[in-house]
Amino acid sequence: DSMNYQQGLITEDHCPLTVPVRFQPLTDTYLVDPRPFARGKFATVRRCKHKETGVDYAAKCIRKRRRAADVRHEIMHEIFILKLSENSPRIIRLYEVYETSTEVILVLEMAAGGELQRVLEDHEEISEKEAARIMRQILEGVAFLHERNIAHLDIKPQNLLLTNTFPTCDIKLCDFGISRLISKGIELREILGTPDYVSPEILHYEPISLATDMWSIGVLAYVLLSGHTPFGGETKQETFWNVTSGTLEFPEDLFGGVSKDAKDFIQSLLIMEPNERMTAKECLHHSWIKSFCDKEDPQRDIPNIRLSTTNEFNAEVSVVSVEVA
Ligand SMILES: Cc1cnc(Nc2ccc(CC#N)cc2)nc1Nc1cc(C2CC2)[nH]n1
């Protein structure tokens, strides 16, 4: 197990298994939709409804064997990360775990609004206020993980789920399949992640750190505000070339109407040297995040309510009793 720990995987030794694994069929407790609504390389995700409560969940069915290798310890790692993150409202909740001879099934919180990726495809770009609100929620989730030395390593719009229809929704981070525990001095070097969002140190085969996530967040902010990826190329190889070239541009046709604050936020993250990038905590104090989000302060946001004197206020308020059927 120490080997796994070296690779940044959490094992039973480091996180007592407080998630009971059930061996009875999932269908005893849930009505499972036969058609998956999302597929990954090694997992399918099916909607399932609890027979007693009627609540919908997302059942992530992960195959235990990949190319004849037993990857159960990697699946247990994802379970431990989800368990460690159960107190963050910004991270998808894990409720139950089932196991069959071929699969481990994670019963996860259902985020009915689907992937942020869909919103970007449907809306092109979104307003700076919405982008900052989304970014703040993502940063709260990432700060929660980074406080625990957990790097997600696959932050991208496909792994950011909306709780209901955009824009009146909250956002949650999911998929800890390639996340790693970053422990001091352990140099993790693996090719991970998705081309457009992968950081230069990954491509230069240098140590992976929490700052690797901050690069992806910089790419995400660029995409939210322009509808385009900063390093996208015709081929995977070209994208990698652009990422390591260190050239970041804000084309006038894409960023003409974008605030200087927003561009500064992005430029403080898309820095080649990992240690020079803002941390998640620093991002939450950046003026671009603060400027939009302070205005959400209820006292300041509703100018048209006159602050009346008490008796005048009471005169205006009449209690309406509602018969609840
Ligand atoms: C409506 C919906 C539509 N599309 C996806 N896609 C998707 C994206 C990434 C991953 C990768 C993972 N994990 C799985 C599915 N998830 C949805 N709701 C979920 C999905 C979930 C849990 C995460 C599965 N809860 N609610």
Side-chain angles (χ1 to χ4, degrees), residues 64-206:
K64 287 198 277 188
R65 300 193 67 72
R66 292 175 198 158
R67 295 187 295 276
D70 172 39
V71 293
R72 195 175 180 281
H73 61 281
E74 286 189 23
I75 301 169
M76 295 317 287
H77 165 76
E78 181 172 4
I79 290 170
F80 293 136
I81 298 279
L82 285 163
K83 186 69 191 161
L84 288 173
S85 310
E86 65 184 355
N87 294 331
S88 169
R90 302 298 180 219
I91 294 167
I92 283 283
R93 280 286 306 278
L94 169 68
Y95 291 95
E96 287 195 297
V97 177
Y98 287 77
E99 184 165 0
T100 70
S101 55
T102 55
E103 288 185 321
V104 174
I105 301 167
L106 310 187
V107 178
L108 296 154
E109 172 185 3
M110 171 58 80
E115 301 170 14
L116 177 62
Q117 179 63 24
R118 296 282 162 282
V119 168
L120 297 175
E121 285 162 0
D122 301 350
H123 293 247
E124 246 126 67
E125 68 211 54
I126 55 185
S127 75
E128 271 202 41
K129 184 176 166 69
E130 278 152 8
R133 192 178 78 85
I134 286 174
M135 190 49 74
R136 178 168 56 85
Q137 294 198 1
I138 295 164
L139 288 165
E140 286 165 354
V142 172
F144 179 94
L145 293 170
H146 287 186
E147 277 158 24
R148 290 154 181 80
N149 283 322
I150 297 164
H152 184 280
L153 300 180
D154 201 12
I155 293 172
K156 57 184 178 182
Q158 294 88 336
N159 282 335
L160 292 163
L161 300 178
L162 308 180
T163 54
N164 48 54
T165 44
F166 183 82
T168 57
C169 61
D170 288 323
I171 201 150
K172 303 216 176 205
L173 191 51
C174 77
D175 200 352
F176 292 87
I178 62 172
S179 67
R180 289 293 182 271
L181 189 66
I182 303 292
S183 33
K184 304 275 172 285
I186 304 289
E187 296 219 337
L188 278 171
R189 300 161 188 266
E190 270 175 78
I191 289 287
L192 298 166
T194 306
D196 275 311
Y197 291 82
V198 83
S199 66
E201 62 269 22
I202 292 212
L203 299 177
H204 287 144
Y205 214 58
E206 284 158 8

Side-chain angles (χ1 to χ4, degrees), residues 306-317:
R306 280 183 304 102
L307 296 179
S308 57
T309 57
T310 314
N311 53 1
E312 188 188 12
F313 181 75
N314 289 337
E316 281 167 1
V317 175

